[in-house]
Structure formats: structure tokens, C-alpha cells
């Protein structure tokens, strides 16, 4: 609640109702009234960063441009079988990122075993990505035990906007 209040206050100062990093840093769409690199733009960037730093001390963020995977790995993905009989680039990227985060920051066993929730930004194909992650968990893929849930979350949620800023 405290984070949401502070994030919303910075959004108000920025004259926007939601944050998208590409738009903010390029001063386009909801941020087209800002001048890139101006003192006001820089100050808003610092305020967004400070809000994230002060209010969200736990967690990690990954960002991946899935389009870069398509050309190189498309033929390989076409041969893999999933519950939906296809492996889109986004599914591969999210699975790889969750695996890496689990192995790096989420001990699987012992008294410090972590049970995280992976919030995945909503959009086209997210349901089948979550189905795939749950399938991997059901068949006993070891790293998936670090996660309690895989949850889609809309871009309108301030935590997703903060993650976009960090990524």
C-alpha cells in the first residue's frame, strides 16, 4: 500500500496514469510532454528509482526481448512438445529466467528454502506459459520447487510498472 501511494504520487508528478519504461525514457506516448534528458525528466527518473529502491527491497526483475529468440531458435522450438504442442520464444525466455532466478537466489532445500511467487506480466500467450511452468512443476523439474505459484499480473499493477522501470 505504501509503495502504491508513493508510485502513484510520482506518476501524478509525471502527468501519467501508468508507467512503461520505453515510453518514459523515450519521452513518448504518456510521457511525450517531457523533454528527454531535461532536468525534469532526470528528476522524475530519480523519483521513480528512489520509490522502487525504498519500497521494494526484495525481489528480482528480468527483462527479455522475445523477438530476438524467434529467428535463431524458432526451428528448435518447433520440435519441442509442450501441453499446447508448441514452444513460443516467450515460453522459452520465461522458463529460462525462472530457472536462473531459482538457482541463483532461491535455495531449494533446507531451513532457508525459498518459496517464491513468479509474477509474469500479462499479455498474449501468458496462459500457456503458466501452463508449461505448472507442467514442469508437476513432472518434478527440480528448480520449479522454489516457486509456490506462477501468476499473471496486468501491466496496470504498480509492481509490474516498477519492474519495467528496473528492467
Amino acid at each position: 500500500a505504501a509503495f502504491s501511494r508513493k508510485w502513484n504520487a510520482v506518476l501524478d508528478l509525471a502527468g501519467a496514469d501508468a508507467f512503461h519504461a520505453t515510453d518514459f525514457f523515450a519521452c513518448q506516448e504518456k510521457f511525450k510532454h517531457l523533454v528527454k534528458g531535461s532536468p525534469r525528466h532526470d528528476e522524475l527518473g530519480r523519483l521513480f528509482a528512489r520509490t522502487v529502491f525504498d519500497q521494494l527491497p526484495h525481489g528480482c526483475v528480468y527483462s527479455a526481448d522475445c523477438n530476438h529468440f524467434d529467428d535463431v531458435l524458432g526451428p528448435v522450438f518447433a520440435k519441442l512438445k509442450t501441453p499446447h504442442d508448441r514452444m513460443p520464444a516467450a515460453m522459452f525466455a520465461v522458463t529460462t529466467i525462472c530457472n536462473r532466478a531459482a538457482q541463483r537466489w532461491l535455495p531449494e532445500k533446507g531451513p532457508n528454502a525459498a518459496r517464491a511467487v513468479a509474477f509474469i506480466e500479462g499479455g498474449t500467450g501468458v496462459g500457456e506459459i503458466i501452463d508449461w511452468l505448472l507442467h514442469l512443476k508437476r513432472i518434478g523439474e527440480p528448480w520449479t520447487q522454489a516457486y509456490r505459484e506462477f501468476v499473471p499480473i496486468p501491466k496496470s499493477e504498480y509492481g509490474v510498472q516498477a519492474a519495467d522501470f528496473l528492467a
Side-chain angles (χ1 to χ4, degrees), residues 7-142:
W7 188 257
N8 200 38
V10 180
L11 282 172
D12 286 346
L13 287 172
D17 61 352
F19 182 88
H20 192 287
T22 301
D23 295 340
F24 176 75
F25 290 111
C27 294
Q28 62 189 22
E29 301 293 328
K30 295 179 183 200
F31 299 99
K32 65 184 174 189
H33 58 281
L34 299 174
V35 176
K36 186 175 180 174
S38 69
R40 177 165 169 69
H41 187 240
D42 290 347
E43 178 61 20
L44 287 167
R46 283 191 290 278
L47 288 172
F48 280 121
R50 175 53 63 186
T51 302
V52 171
F53 181 79
D54 287 347
Q55 299 297 316
L56 300 175
H58 305 290
C60 58
V61 173
Y62 275 93
S63 176
D65 184 347
C66 294
N67 293 331
H68 289 212
F69 289 95
D70 284 329
D71 294 339
V72 177
L73 297 174
V76 175
F77 294 155
K79 296 176 185 175
L80 297 174
K81 299 299 177 196
T82 71
H84 296 273
D85 251 2
R86 67 188 201 111
M87 171 68 84
M91 187 181 295
F92 174 78
V94 171
T95 302
T96 301
I97 289 165
C98 286
N99 182 345
R100 179 173 288 178
Q103 291 189 29
R104 181 173 278 176
W105 294 295
L106 303 171
E108 295 175 30
K109 299 177 182 171
N112 296 323
R115 300 288 288 163
V117 175
F119 293 106
I120 303 167
E121 185 177 327
T124 304
V126 169
E128 70 180 324
I129 291 170
I130 290 174
D131 285 350
W132 171 242
L133 293 168
L134 293 173
H135 169 74
L136 293 174
K137 191 170 178 69
R138 277 191 305 277
I139 65 171
E141 183 66 33

